[in-house]
Amino acid sequence: MSVSAVLIVKNEQDRLKGCLESLAWATEIVIVDSGSTDNTLNIAKQYTDKVYIHTDWEGFGKQRQLAQGY
């Protein structure tokens, strides 16, 4: 069975590492960054190569749907 974890993030450098470490059991991790200006992207790339940037924020629902499409 495959399980994907999908995260929408922005400026989460203080919490992201712990979150991603807790998802070590997931088959894949997909991260969509909404325009971070801190170290979020660098941290994300240490855990998955499925890191995407989408800064055109149309709301949580739209961003989540976009993330699920990757």
Side-chain angles (χ1 to χ4, degrees), residues 13-62:
Q13 72 179 9
D14 295 337
R15 293 178 280 268
L16 188 56
K17 183 178 178 183
C19 176
L20 292 170
E21 287 178 356
S22 75
L23 293 172
W25 54 269
T27 307
E28 73 173 346
I29 298 173
V30 177
I31 299 174
V32 175
D33 184 86
S34 301
S36 291
T37 57
D38 62 3
N39 201 34
T40 296
L41 286 173
N42 292 329
I43 296 167
K45 290 175 183 177
Q46 292 175 13
Y47 291 85
T48 181
D49 60 347
K50 295 181 179 184
V51 178
Y52 305 94
I53 300 169
H54 184 78
T55 58
D56 187 18
W57 183 260
E58 297 179 53
F60 179 82
K62 293 282 187 181

